[in-house]
Structures are given as C-alpha cells and as structure tokens.
Amino acid sequence: MVLKTLHVLGPLHGYGIARRIEQISGDLLAVNQGTLYPVLLKLEQEGAIASEWGASENNRRARFYRLTREGRKQLQAETKDWEQTAAIIDRFFEAKAEDLS
Amino acid sequence: MKSLRRFLSRLGYFVTRRRDDERLREEIAEHLALQTEENLRAGFSPVEARRQAMIKFGGVEATKQDYRAERGLPLIENLLGDLRNAARTIRRMPGLAAVIVLSLAIGIGVNTTILSWIQMILFHPLPAVSGASNFLLVEPRAETGGYPGASWLEYRALQAQLSALRDVVAFQMVPFNVGEKGQTERTFGQLVSGNYFSALGLQPAIGRFIRPEEAERPGTDPVIVISYDYWQTRFHGASEAVGQKLRVNDRELIVIGVAPREFQGTMLPLKFELWVPATMTPALLGGTRDLEDRTSRAFSLIGMLKPGATREEAQVEFSAAMAQLARDYPDANSGIGGDILSFWEAPRGPQRMLISGLAVLQGVMLLLLLAVCGNTANLMLARASTRQREMAVRVALGAGRWRIVSLVLSENMLLALLGAGLGATLAVWGTTALRVAPMIGSFPILFQTRVDALTLAFAILLGAACGLIFSAAPALNLARLDPQDGLRSSSNTPPRSRARKVLMGVEVGLAMVVLIAAALFLESFRSARQTDPRFRPEGVLLAAYDLSGRNPNEASEREFAARLIERLRSLPGVEAAAIATNVPLDLHGIPTRSFTVQGRVRTEAGQDRAISNTVTPGYFKVMAIPLLEGTDFAEMRDKAAPAQAIVNEEFVRRYLNGADAIGRRLQTRAGSLAIIGVARNSVYDAFGEPAQPAIYFSYRDVPWDQGQIHLRTRSGNETALTSEARAVLRDLDPMLPLYDVRTFSQHIDRNLFLRRIPARMFVVLGPLLLGLAAIGIYAVVSYAVARRTREIGVRLAFGATSARVVLQIIRENLGVIVWGAAIGWLLALAISVHAITKGVVNLPVFIGVPAILLGVATLACWIPARRASRIDPMAALRHE
C-alpha cells in the first residue's frame, strides 16, 4: 500500500502517506498511524524507497519518501502477485454449486 | 538479496551506533502537527484536536520501540546489553566470581591438557609430518601373537606388493657411537629405507635427503642426515655442516642434509638425531646380516593409505603377501601373518599404555569438571534466589521469560567462558610441562604436545557446556517466577528447594568418586616412594655401555666385562662393582623367560615364566640383596664351573613348593643350569608389586654386548665416581662412550616420571575439590537457613535450645549429603575393584576419604547453622 501510494502521488511525507491510506480505504483501515514508521524504515533498508529531508506544506522540516527503481520493480511484482491471488479468490466466490456438478 | 541488503543496513546501524532517534522524533512531531491542523480544520478545540491526533497515532513509545527494533539488530543488541549487565553483575560479586572462574579454569585446563596429550598420540604421532594420522603400521605377526618386526628382504617384497599403501618405508632404531676416538657419544639414530623422507613428505632444512638409489646397494653410500637440534648444537646451525664428515661407529659418513625442525623420527615418543641409509647396516653394525637374513626381523614398516584405498584393502593385500612369503620361504616365514595397525596400537613403544592411562585420567577429570559444574550451579541457584526481587521487577516491567533466561544465561556464559579462557592458558602451561620430559630409561624422549585449534575448541566447548549445565537450574527457577510473588516481601512460606538439595547430593557424590580416585593414585605413588624395594638403592651409581658397534663375540664380551669389573673394583671409594643386563624399576620392565625346573611337573597348559636378569658375581653385594642359601656365582674367568643360576624365594615357593632348591637342574633356551643359590625377594618392575619369581643368570655363562654397570660407594658420594668410571671405560676401549650415568635414586625418580604428572595434578585438585564442595554446601545451607530465619526464631521463642536447632539443621542437610556420598562411594568401590586394583580394596582410602569429606561437609553445615541458632528470637520474628 505504501509503495502504491508513493507510486501514485510521488514523494510524500509520513503523515501524507497515512492520510492517503486512510482516505483510499474509506476509513475502513483505521490502524495506529504510528505503526507506519517502522514499515517505512524496513522498506528503506530493503532499498524499495529512499528518503530525504524537505519542507512540508507549512514550511516545516519533514522527511519525504520516494519510490526507487528497485521499489518500482517490487511494486510491479507485488501487484502481479496480488492480482493473481485476487483472481483465484474471485473465481472461488463466483463458482456456483451447479458449475461443479 | 533483499534480506541481505536489509541485514547489511542494520549491521551498519549496529556498528556505527548511530543514534538517530532524532529523526523519528521529528517525524512524529511533524506528523502530529499536521494531524492536529487537520483536526482543527474539522472544528475541534485546539486541545481536543491534539488529543485526537495522539489517539490516532497510537502509542508513541511503542512506535519508537518498534522502530528501533526494525533499525538495528535487536538480538545482538540485547545480547550485548546482557553481557554488559553480566559484566556489571560479576563485578559486584568478585569473590563468588573468582571462585567460579578459577574452579572452572582448573577443571577445563586439566581436561584440555589431557586431551592435547591424547590427540598428540592419536593425531600427531609423527611431529612435523603432515597427515601423520594417515600412516599405518605394517606389522608382521608371529604365531605367538607378538609382532617381531620385518626383515629387510620381506620389506622389499612388501613394498612391491602393497598397492593400497603409497610408499611403504622401513626403519630400525640403532644407538650409534658418534665422534672421534676417546670422546664418543651415544646418539640414537634410525637406519632407513631410501624412500623414507620422500614418503613422509618432508623438506630438508638445508642440504638434501637420502635418495632412493642410495639405499639400493649395501655399503656404497656413506651419507647421513642429522636432526635440526643436532645441527644447532653440534654445528651451531652453520650451513657448512652439509658436506662435513661425521664419525659414526668408527666409520666416516658425510652429512648431506638437516631434517626439519620438529621432526624427531618415526617412533614416538623417542627422539632421534641421525638417519642413515639402511644399506649401511653391515658397515655400521659389524657382523649383522640384517640385509640378507630373512629371520633377522629388525625393521619397522609404515605406509600411508593411497587416496580412495581403505584399511581393509590394505589388510587383505598384506595378508595375501605374507601368505605368499610363507609359501616361498617356509624356513623363515611359515606361520607369520600380518596386521595393519594404527599408530596408537603400536606394539613397541608406550602408546597403548599411555592411551589407556590417559583415557582413565580424562574420565576422572571430566567427572571433576562435572562436580565443579554442580558446585557452580548450586552457588548460582543460591544467588538466583536472592535476586528474585530484581527479576520480579524486570518481569513486572515487561521483560519476557526468554529475556530473563537469556540474562541469566549470558551472566553464566560469561563466567564459563572466562573460565575456559583461563583454562586454555593453564593448558598451554600444562602441555609445555610434558615437553620438558627428560630421557626415560636410556632413551631420549620428546613429547611435542601443544594446544592447537582442536584443543582450544575443546576448551571452549567444555566452557559452554559447563555454562549451560550450571545456568539451567537458576535460569528456569527465575523464569518461572511469578512477579507478584517475587515482589511480595517473600519468605513467609519458603519453598523447600528440592533442586538445590539434589544438586548438593550429586556434587558430594561426584566429589567422592574423584577424591577416592585421587587418593588411590596418590597412595600408589606415595607407596612407590616409601616402600622398601628390598634392595638398597642409596649409594649406587649406574652407567651403561654397549659393545654392539664393536663386532663383539661371546669371548670378547666376557673378557671385556671381566676386565671392566676388575678395574672398577680397584677404584678408590668403590665398595663393590657388578654388571647386569637389567636394572629393576625400569620403565619398560624386566623381561621374563620361560623354563622348566627339575622336580616340577606343570599340570596346566603353557609355560612357567620368571623374571630374568643376567648379572656378574658381586651383584648381590652391590644391591644388598642377601643370599639366603648357597653361594654367589663363580668368578668371570672361571672356566671349570658348570653353568649356574640363582633363583629367588618366590621361585622356590611357587615352583618348588618350598623344597630345597640347591643343586636342582634348570632348563632354559640358553641351556641347562644348576641352581646354586637362593636370593631374597626384591622389587623388580614396580613398587608394591606382588612377589615375582626370578632367575638370575651369570654373565660368565651368557655374556651380553650391553651392560649396566652398578657401583656401590658411600651414600651421597655416587656422582663423584662418574669421571673415574668414564676414564676406566675409555682406557679399555676409546671408541666406547659411557652413557646413561645416573644414581639409582635418579633412576627410580625418572621412571616414576609418567606417574608423577597425574600425581601432581591430584595433589592440587584434591584439596581444591574438597574446598569447592565445602563452599557449595556452605552456600546452600546458609541460604536455606537465611530463608528460615522466622521459623527458627519461633522455635527459639518456644524454648528450643540453640544446640537442638543446630543439630536439626545439620541433620536435615547431612541426610542428602550422606546419600550422595554413599552412592559416590559405592561407585568408586565398584570401579576400583573391577578396573584398577582387581579385587584389592585400599581400606585406608575407602575409609579415610569419606571421613574427611563428611567431616568437611559437617563443618560447612555447622557454621551457618550455628549462626542461625544465635539469632535473637525477637529480632527474627520482627524480621521483615
């Protein structure tokens, strides 16, 4: 989700990512926003994203995260994976009893 | 790939210890600020807006912790933290830590030392030769089961036929007389086959080695390779040594090379200085037919397995080759088979004896280490319970069980590894102690033991194992802790600690086994020093000569001995002089000989055997062994008297049922002899041995080319005779060196050398273990007493006398101790009876050791018990 958000919106700070995830999920995913930061760190260590200091909308120092080339590749791979998984699950839900008999 | 990158990044953080918590703090602040603004826009009051933002963000501290956990290497960070903590804890208890570390160090050090000895024999039987453990002994086996060695011609045949072995090499050990006339020196060397050095894979320090073609034709290549030490001491390490001449057994040989530094030949643990082609044998040892006689089995053979070949294949080939030889040469080879053996199974040399002895020693020492572990576990357990509150606080603050266990574990491991490190240092010292071994018997011996990677790993492994063993109990104990219980003011219903008591019992039991083993050992050593050998060693000087390089025959040997004795007897200060072939209490024992004696019919199968020693007249006077009946041997030059023998009391008792022995005929391989005297029994092979039957032969009847000169003089004055004895021998034959000069007391001391090392170990370890057991018991009892202060207070308040209280505490604890001790005692008794003394029980040891151990144990119980009984009941009841 983090990767996709960054992919769509470009470089963004932590709060922005959290807001965005909240908005897209329609407030259905109301996790603690704090848990986002360890995830960001992990992605950065893996090289999927990079970060640097920048100025936020109200001109305060904020850390901006952006997708790296590695991250883009990872996003593609994961998107494909997910689509596959989703497709399989879909088929299960669409299958009706008479199809099987 | 991804995880590797992540690991490296984490490692980077970990190593650089970058503390950029700052970054997270700023990010969180920014996050909250943005959220608060958002909430303000949504119409919240400023305070409420901030509150909502905080709620939405979740636990800041928890986030920080997760963040930190993601960033570094928490496992290692925790471990380091634990270690730092452990180091702090240990520094707070220096006394206890010192006891633990020292006792472990000694336990581990001793074990490592012994292992290094064992591994030297098993894995490094040939110093300086790489892959030495791949070499196998190729030993022809006689019908009797003995290994007589191989003949040269046999070797040449086997070399061609054993295809599973690469380059079989042959060698025999020879004492050489090296040097110019009048100043010869006895030096040990090996006569070797031409492929000797190349097969061992050695490179010369300088010069070259013997070439295969130099050991083809008899006597044509007078070349010699010298050892590194010999090069250093005799040639001062000069490179001009190569090409110089060396006079060996009165023949000039040309030095062609120097062996590598640590190479000491191929008969561990003997140290050789010279190597000469085997084809020089007839030139150097006049009159031998070693090279053409198939019955002259003088050589030892070794060979390395070819890659891919197995020992079984080699054995099959060897058996087939020996069977073929038996068909081709029935005279010399019929009935002779062969075995492929490992080095430690060597039929000659002390390997077998050393390995079994060392294995027993190692077993005992591992038990000792286990006892030390038990003791440490107990100390740690006692300490752990005083730390219950600390641990309870940790658990209450959120430490997981595993964190507690790892905390305790890291403390104990640190102690254990400190012990292992110190132990390894001790082992380095211990192995060098064996390296300085002197000549044993008349042979130069060198054990090149060292602490190498394997022994070091063993030490660390032992340390880790010890750490695990003694931290298990306390760690589990603390991890099971209920924080509420632990924080409550404790000790109202003290849980009786079964674990502690069981450990105490086990420890006492182990201590009992080890102490008894130590005592038995020391006892045998002490008796070795104090038992009356039944001859008088004081005032006797021993020295050896060897005519084997001088082409002797029976007549010349007899004449030489006769003249030597005459000259020696005339020396001032010499009370008596004699020559014998064997000296009692030699490391390798005195040979026995089979015989038949008139008046005895043997009913069971086999042969009667007796210790045999060949001596000149006057021997019994020198040794102060009284002749109970009959007379001494006839003088050396007496040609009229028939062959004579003197037997000892035990011989008469065992083989003649005490009947009159004088005049009876004795038949041996050497011929028929008349018994002319009976000598008192004396010690032959070892102090404390059961009486052995012995036959003395006369030098006059059976002269030898070698002899041990015995000179009796005023006690304390022996060494003064050395130079005069040397002069006498030089006068008789300038090419002969007098060697192995020593007083009889030195002779005895030297031969007890191998027993002295373990004896010294036990002298140190016995009291140490006793002390440790006492400390362990003391710790357990004083802890138990401290926890029962209130109970004891109540008892005292109700009128119990303090004596009763003391008695009760001692009785409670001594019960467990006695159980442990009894089990250990029975174990030791069983081992002793079955394995060591073979049915004889050393009562003083088996009564004395338990008495001392239980005495010490009682004392260790009594001190804390007495302290407890002295408390003021009022104070005790107010306690806590």
Side-chain angles (χ1 to χ4, degrees):
Chain A
M1 282 189 294
V2 173
L3 294 179
K4 186 69 193 165
T5 308
L6 290 176
H7 183 59
V8 174
L9 296 182
L12 208 58
H13 47 69
Y15 175 71
I17 300 170
R19 279 297 296 160
R20 172 76 185 164
I21 292 175
E22 233 173 53
Q23 281 166 4
I24 292 179
S25 69
D27 290 337
L28 284 175
L29 276 177
V31 287
N32 278 345
Q33 290 173 347
T35 54
L36 178 66
Y37 288 92
V39 174
L40 284 172
L41 181 72
K42 179 168 170 261
L43 286 171
E44 190 177 348
Q45 284 174 347
E46 287 174 359
I49 58 176
S51 69
E52 62 222 344
W53 290 112
S56 68
E57 298 89 59
N58 35 18
N59 267 337
R60 279 215 303 256
R61 229 161 85 88
R63 192 127 185 118
F64 280 82
Y65 294 88
R66 63 181 170 75
L67 213 53
T68 60
R69 198 147 44 136
E70 192 102 0
R72 234 162 253 135
K73 255 191 272 172
Q74 200 184 328
L75 179 62
Q76 272 170 16
E78 271 174 25
T79 311
K80 220 166 96 193
D81 273 2
W82 172 250
E83 278 166 358
Q84 251 173 23
T85 315
I88 293 167
I89 304 281
D90 270 355
R91 254 179 277 160
F92 269 95
F93 281 104
E94 281 158 16
K96 294 187 183 74
E98 52 268 33
D99 294 348
L100 293 171
S101 55
Chain B
M1 169 66 208
K2 223 160 61 184
S3 49
L4 178 70
R5 175 186 273 193
R6 190 149 169 251
F7 174 75
L8 286 178
S9 149
R10 280 171 160 221
L11 196 64
Y13 273 110
F14 171 67
V15 172
T16 55
R17 304 194 158 272
R18 235 160 68 201
R19 288 268 164 257
D20 54 355
D21 283 356
E22 196 58 16
R23 167 178 157 185
L24 180 69
R25 214 180 50 73
E26 271 186 57
E27 279 193 86
I28 293 175
E30 169 66 11
H31 186 112
L32 290 176
L34 287 168
Q35 183 72 55
T36 310
E37 273 170 40
E38 184 82 26
N39 288 349
L40 277 175
R41 277 200 292 280
F44 286 103
S45 70
V47 176
E48 184 61 13
R50 178 144 184 92
R51 202 177 80 84
Q52 286 298 331
M54 298 280 267
I55 290 172
K56 204 158 190 178
F57 189 82
V60 172
E61 282 311 312
T63 304
K64 278 187 183 169
Q65 197 152 12
D66 284 350
Y67 192 82
R68 274 188 222 118
E70 278 299 331
R71 192 184 52 206
L73 292 165
L75 208 67
I76 295 183
E77 274 173 4
N78 279 346
L79 194 68
L80 280 183
D82 283 351
L83 282 180
R84 268 196 299 278
N85 185 52
R88 265 205 307 278
T89 321
I90 289 168
R91 232 175 307 153
R92 271 205 304 271
M93 44 164 201
L96 185 64
V99 167
I100 294 173
V101 169
L102 270 181
S103 57
L104 280 177
I106 292 170
I108 293 172
V110 169
N111 273 292
T112 310
T113 307
I114 296 172
L115 183 85
S116 78
W117 297 347
I118 291 180
Q119 75 132 2
M120 169 202 63
I121 294 168
L122 285 187
F123 303 125
H124 303 290
L126 305 173
V129 176
S130 58
S133 49
N134 294 335
F135 278 95
L136 295 170
L137 302 171
V138 180
E139 291 284 349
R141 187 194 57 239
E143 269 172 315
T144 55
Y147 296 98
S151 67
W152 180 252
L153 292 175
E154 208 166 57
Y155 160 65
R156 300 306 285 255
L158 289 173
Q159 194 187 13
Q161 286 172 42
L162 299 184
S163 59
L165 295 175
R166 185 164 56 197
D167 277 349
V168 179
V169 300
F171 50 87
Q172 73 162 299
M173 149 181 173
V174 208
F176 289 126
N177 298 329
V178 182
E180 297 302 320
K181 273 191 171 40
Q183 39 190 324
T184 53
E185 223 186 343
R186 188 174 161 91
T187 311
F188 280 86
Q190 288 184 304
L191 291 166
V192 301
S193 58
N195 58 357
Y196 183 79
F197 288 102
S198 62
L200 294 175
L202 294 172
Q203 292 300 320
I206 57 164
R208 64 175 180 86
F209 284 145
I210 298 162
R211 295 202 189 97
E213 62 270 20
E214 283 171 330
E216 286 292 330
R217 292 171 309 283
T220 51
D221 299 278
V223 294
I224 189 166
V225 172
I226 59 176
S227 75
Y228 192 91
D229 286 346
Y230 200 80
W231 179 46
Q232 292 296 326
T233 51
R234 304 307 141 95
F235 294 94
H236 309 290
S239 55
E240 298 86 68
V242 172
Q244 287 198 16
K245 291 192 171 70
L246 203 60
R247 187 165 279 278
V248 176
N249 281 9
D250 218 6
R251 281 252 343 195
E252 281 200 335
L253 301 181
I254 298 161
V255 176
I256 54 168
V258 175
R261 185 175 217 137
E262 288 182 336
F263 185 65
Q264 64 180 56
T266 37
M267 292 171 106
L268 185 89
L270 300 181
K271 184 179 190 313
F272 294 98
E273 310 288 357
L274 308 171
W275 291 273
V276 179
T279 43
M280 291 300 293
T281 311
L284 292 171
L285 308 177
T288 71
R289 290 168 43 77
D290 278 358
L291 295 186
E292 59 262 33
D293 186 355
R294 286 186 177 273
T295 58
S296 168
R297 304 181 159 274
F299 288 91
S300 301
L301 313 182
I302 62 172
M304 188 194 257
L305 275 181
K306 273 189 184 146
T310 65
R311 188 170 152 172
E312 287 69 36
E313 285 169 29
Q315 177 65 58
V316 169
E317 277 183 5
F318 185 34
S319 298
M322 289 310 289
Q324 182 61 44
L325 283 169
R327 278 192 295 278
D328 294 349
Y329 309 98
D331 285 352
N333 271 59
S334 74
I336 298 203
D339 285 329
I340 302 278
L341 302 174
S342 298
F343 257 95
W344 66 268
E345 300 170 303
R348 293 173 285 278
Q351 279 84 339
R352 228 180 246 262
M353 180 194 93
L354 279 179
I355 281 286
S356 54
L358 285 174
V360 170
L361 204 58
Q362 182 98 75
V364 172
M365 292 305 172
L366 282 174
L367 277 186
L368 175 117
L369 189 60
L370 211 57
V372 168
C373 277
N375 180 57
T376 311
N378 239 337
L379 294 178
M380 284 319 227
L381 211 52
R383 225 184 81 75
S385 32
T386 63
R387 289 173 70 190
Q388 281 195 352
R389 198 171 299 195
E390 176 200 337
M391 293 301 165
V393 170
R394 284 177 188 271
V395 173
L397 287 180
R401 303 278 178 220
W402 171 241
R403 286 287 295 137
I404 298 287
V405 170
S406 90
L407 193 74
V408 175
L409 212 58
S410 59
E411 260 177 52
N412 293 352
M413 279 302 188
L414 192 63
L415 283 175
L417 291 179
L418 280 177
L422 202 60
T425 321
L426 278 180
V428 170
W429 177 75
T431 48
T432 42
L434 194 61
R435 258 176 181 250
V436 295
M439 304 244 300
I440 293 182
S442 48
F443 304 116
I445 287 200
L446 179 65
F447 288 101
Q448 298 199 19
T449 53
R450 65 177 59 110
V451 173
D452 59 8
L454 184 83
T455 39
L456 218 56
F458 179 72
I460 291 169
L461 203 72
L462 273 186
C466 290
L468 277 182
I469 291 173
F470 68 68
S471 34
L476 289 179
N477 192 17
L478 285 176
R480 272 205 312 266
L481 195 69
D482 178 0
Q484 296 221 336
D485 250 11
L487 283 175
R488 224 175 283 141
S489 58
S490 75
S491 86
N492 22 14
T493 45
R496 293 281 160 86
S497 170
R498 188 179 288 266
R500 257 193 300 281
K501 288 204 160 170
V502 169
L503 266 175
M504 187 163 76
V506 169
E507 190 206 336
V508 171
L510 285 171
M512 179 70 90
V513 174
V514 176
L515 284 176
I516 287 180
L520 284 177
F521 211 91
L522 285 178
E523 178 60 24
S524 78
F525 185 69
R526 194 191 56 84
S527 67
R529 300 303 297 274
Q530 291 180 1
T531 318
D532 177 12
R534 298 179 63 91
F535 59 82
R536 206 149 62 82
E538 300 81 19
V540 174
L541 182 76
L542 298 170
Y545 69 89
D546 183 355
L547 296 172
S548 60
R550 311 294 295 151
N551 303 348
N553 57 34
E554 281 211 356
S556 70
E557 283 165 5
R558 185 183 298 122
E559 182 55 25
F560 185 86
R563 281 170 55 203
L564 186 59
I565 292 181
E566 275 164 19
R567 294 288 303 273
L568 289 172
R569 280 188 185 145
S570 66
L571 287 178
V574 171
E575 292 168 12
I579 297 171
T581 47
N582 290 292
V583 182
L585 299 169
D586 222 340
L587 193 65
H588 43 74
I590 299 184
T592 61
R593 194 177 276 207
S594 60
F595 64 89
T596 53
V597 63
Q598 183 188 0
R600 166 164 166 92
V601 180
R602 202 181 153 85
T603 45
E604 62 271 45
Q607 288 173 309
D608 291 327
R609 297 191 77 85
I611 292 268
S612 93
N613 196 2
T614 307
V615 304
T616 60
Y619 176 78
F620 298 99
K621 191 175 169 206
V622 176
M623 294 292 281
I625 300 173
L627 285 173
L628 303 174
E629 289 174 57
T631 51
D632 199 356
F633 289 122
E635 277 307 314
M636 291 292 282
R637 294 211 170 85
D638 187 336
K639 292 204 169 68
Q644 299 169 326
I646 292 176
V647 295
N648 71 350
E649 285 173 274
E650 177 63 17
F651 184 96
V652 175
R653 193 192 65 74
R654 191 178 298 186
Y655 296 128
L656 298 172
N657 294 320
D660 193 14
I662 307 286
R664 281 179 198 260
R665 306 296 302 174
L666 191 68
Q667 186 71 38
T668 71
R669 232 175 14 177
S672 172
L673 309 104
I675 298 177
I676 60 152
V678 178
R680 198 178 68 183
N681 288 342
S682 61
V683 162
Y684 304 99
D685 284 335
F687 287 104
E689 68 185 9
Q692 301 200 67
I695 307 172
Y696 296 94
F697 297 92
S698 172
Y699 235 87
R700 186 186 63 107
D701 306 324
V702 226
W704 287 71
D705 55 1
Q706 302 185 13
Q708 295 279 350
I709 298 168
H710 293 52
L711 293 179
R712 171 162 293 284
T713 178
R714 205 152 42 77
S715 180
N717 221 8
E718 301 99 312
T719 44
L721 286 174
T722 309
S723 57
E724 284 151 33
R726 258 185 224 289
V728 166
L729 194 69
R730 194 161 48 225
D731 260 11
L732 289 176
D733 184 341
M735 273 314 288
L736 275 189
L738 192 69
Y739 65 91
D740 202 17
V741 182
R742 74 275 191 207
T743 66
F744 214 119
S745 310
Q746 285 169 340
H747 171 81
I748 294 172
D749 267 3
R750 213 163 55 178
N751 294 337
L752 290 174
F753 172 78
L754 286 178
R755 291 168 79 183
R756 192 158 56 216
I757 294 174
R760 276 195 190 146
M761 276 184 176
F762 281 127
V763 165
V764 177
L765 295 176
L768 181 95
L769 189 63
L770 203 59
L772 282 178
I775 291 174
I777 294 167
Y778 175 85
V780 171
V781 175
S782 55
Y783 169 74
V785 166
R787 298 209 57 172
R788 287 167 58 190
T789 308
R790 188 183 294 193
E791 180 202 324
I792 294 167
V794 171
R795 280 168 191 270
L796 288 173
F798 278 105
T801 61
S802 63
R804 269 187 74 106
V805 171
V806 170
L807 210 64
Q808 197 212 347
I809 294 172
I810 290 181
R811 201 185 300 139
E812 273 174 23
N813 290 292
L814 217 53
V816 188
I817 292 169
V818 166
W819 264 109
I823 293 171
W825 190 81
L826 286 175
L827 210 67
L829 188 69
I831 296 172
S832 153
V833 167
H834 283 291
I836 306 166
T837 50
K838 309 261 191 297
V840 186
V841 175
N842 189 331
L843 275 181
V845 167
F846 276 91
I847 292 170
V849 169
I852 293 172
L853 186 58
L854 289 181
V856 168
T858 312
L859 194 70
C861 290
W862 180 75
I863 295 170
R866 180 164 171 73
R867 201 172 48 218
S869 73
R870 287 243 174 115
I871 48 177
D872 174 9
M874 288 318 289
L877 289 175
R878 249 185 260 120
H879 178 70
E880 292 175 22

